[in-house]
Amino acid sequence: MDICDPPGGSKVLPYQTAKFRTFSTDPSLLDSLATPISRLLWATLADVPQSYIVVKALCILCTWPLPISSTSKDPTFMLCGLMMQVAMQIGLHRPSHAQDFTRFKIELREEEMKDRIKTWVACNMISQRIATGYGQPPSTVYDWTLVPIGWSETDYQLPDEVRARLSIERFCNKVTKSFYTNRMDPVGLVSDEQRSVMSDFLARDLDDIEEKLKPETSAGLHFRLSAFFDSPGSADYQSHLFSLWQSTSSFLECVFDLNNTDGGLLPHASNYILQMIVAAGFALLKLLNSFFADRIKLAYGRELFWRTIRGIRTISVATNDLPSRLAEVLAQMWKSGGSGLRKGYGQSEWLDDSLQLKNRCRMSMSLVYDSVWRWREEFQAKGRGNLESKSSASPGLWSDLLKKIN
């Protein structure tokens, strides 16, 4: 937010909207702002040419979107594309040649040049996160402008934390390109053999990043979710599932530790963090109700799952918004799937296909979309509604949940 903080004027509203997500003085303020902000957004985007401040506003709105109740009504991925296109149209990707993208004479001061560089870096990091979180191809542009050694025109070095985040997002892009962009496959997946080889290289890259920085759990989770695409008969299936379990639990523990030590960060979490927590929750749901459950500490896994649901509901900023609905989906599927109590698997049953996905087109997020699709199939068939319904969570279900947590 520090990178994208715009000056005064009507475009400051998205910045204030992000701050009002947890405005305790008036909890209904965000709902009241949602409609006028949405109208302002689309009216502004219809105005051509666009301004530099619009890009900053889109950065903020893509990071902390307005509350929604359905994935079909989420414009974030579309807004991300507009953010990148507007940024390039006004020349942010060529900060030292801004004159080439306008018919008016422009002379940038050094501070203005630095700000354009930081904004372009923010655009790419946000674009990568959105692509990862939505299971879509990234629209990032990793060219010379984003090299880690700085920019000779200004002798400007990015802050250490920004450079670290940029290197992590480039790793996530490498994971996506390695696993999910096979032009010879209808859904872009590589073969088990290729995935095995690439996993070894990517694991070393991740180790290098974590050696230089603190352990990066969200990138590791994005990487290890590829285990759901392995065939049960592949040589690395067992080891990849264990790596997935470790990445999932490490990511969730890191999130909960930060939330406990920094005065409660989850209510302010970005959309990307929410998406990764949801993906981790569905990973636990699958692993703990499968043959794999006998290979891990079930009591710890069940406790971690319920903490995950509580964390998702903590991120919720409006009644019956998407986080609260997804938390309900997780709870219902947990109850119908066995509640993590499946036992009695023998070694001969190790290689069954219970973890295979039918929805395989959303990259590492395929697990989430596949699970929601299965939920719709099961619960809609039984007349229990779907994600588009306006009903809130079942009181009895959440009573059981609170008992589990407490």
Side-chain angles (χ1 to χ4, degrees), residues 163-182:
R163 286 193 291 112
R165 189 72 248 174
L166 182 59
S167 66
I168 291 167
E169 298 309 330
R170 295 188 73 153
F171 171 79
C172 289
N173 182 67
K174 190 173 183 180
V175 170
T176 298
K177 299 290 186 183
S178 298
F179 289 156
Y180 309 114
T181 58
N182 180 13

Side-chain angles (χ1 to χ4, degrees), residues 13-133:
L13 283 176
Y15 176 75
Q16 298 296 339
T17 302
K19 296 174 68 175
F20 290 151
R21 289 172 67 86
T22 55
F23 191 58
S24 58
T25 304
D26 183 1
S28 65
L29 182 59
L30 184 61
D31 280 340
S32 301
L33 286 174
T35 298
I37 287 290
S38 182
R39 290 173 181 167
L40 173 64
L41 167 66
W42 296 111
T44 302
L45 292 175
D47 186 19
V48 180
Q50 298 292 346
S51 71
Y52 175 38
I53 302 304
V54 170
V55 177
K56 290 192 169 189
L58 287 173
C59 284
I60 294 169
L61 279 174
C62 288
T63 304
W64 291 279
L66 295 171
I68 57 171
S69 59
S70 169
T71 54
S72 62
K73 297 179 181 179
D74 187 356
T76 306
F77 184 68
M78 178 169 54
L79 293 177
C80 174
L82 288 170
M83 174 189 71
M84 292 296 292
Q85 295 298 326
V86 172
M88 289 189 286
Q89 187 174 27
I90 63 178
L92 291 189
H93 61 308
R94 296 292 180 263
S96 60
H97 296 81
Q99 182 66 60
D100 295 353
F101 298 89
T102 179
R103 59 177 180 168
F104 303 106
K105 184 174 179 59
I106 180 172
E107 293 183 4
L108 298 176
R109 299 190 301 270
E110 183 177 352
E111 287 304 313
E112 293 174 322
M113 178 82 72
K114 292 178 181 179
D115 191 60
R116 293 172 77 92
I117 292 171
K118 288 195 298 182
T119 303
W120 177 241
V121 171
C123 285
N124 278 272
M125 291 192 298
I126 292 167
S127 178
Q128 184 64 57
R129 285 184 155 208
I130 288 174
T132 300

Side-chain angles (χ1 to χ4, degrees), residues 126-287:
I126 292 167
S127 178
Q128 184 64 57
R129 285 184 155 208
I130 288 174
T132 300
Y134 285 86
Q136 296 281 13
S139 55
T140 48
V141 182
Y142 293 117
D143 59 3
W144 71 272
T145 313
L146 302 181
V147 294
I149 59 174
W151 291 262
S152 58
E153 291 87 346
T154 63
D155 294 324
Y156 174 60
Q157 291 282 347
L158 287 172
D160 290 342
E161 63 272 16
V162 176
R163 286 193 291 112
R165 189 72 248 174
L166 182 59
S167 66
I168 291 167
E169 298 309 330
R170 295 188 73 153
F171 171 79
C172 289
N173 182 67
K174 190 173 183 180
V175 170
T176 298
K177 299 290 186 183
S178 298
F179 289 156
Y180 309 114
T181 58
N182 180 13
R183 296 181 181 180
M184 305 302 293
D185 184 80
V187 296
L189 297 175
V190 298
S191 66
D192 287 343
E193 293 78 11
Q194 291 173 308
R195 190 180 301 108
S196 177
V197 173
M198 291 176 179
S199 293
D200 292 339
F201 286 109
L202 290 169
R204 286 194 286 270
D205 289 344
L206 184 61
D207 288 342
D208 290 341
I209 291 176
E210 293 182 340
E211 184 177 341
K212 299 174 184 176
L213 311 171
K214 63 181 181 180
E216 177 39 49
T217 54
S218 63
L221 179 59
H222 171 53
F223 169 32
R224 294 302 182 182
L225 283 169
S226 62
F228 286 110
F229 296 99
D230 286 351
S231 301
S234 62
D236 298 315
Y237 191 49
Q238 180 175 347
S239 62
H240 285 177
L241 288 177
F242 272 110
S243 296
L244 171 62
W245 161 254
Q246 292 172 344
S247 294
T248 301
S249 56
S250 295
F251 168 72
L252 291 172
E253 290 291 0
C254 179
V255 169
F256 300 143
D257 286 346
L258 286 174
N259 186 56
N260 293 333
T261 57
D262 289 352
L265 291 179
L266 277 179
H268 311 280
S270 67
N271 193 42
Y272 174 73
I273 295 301
L274 166 64
Q275 290 168 321
M276 297 308 291
I277 294 175
V278 169
F282 278 113
L284 289 177
L285 175 71
K286 295 278 283 187
L287 294 175

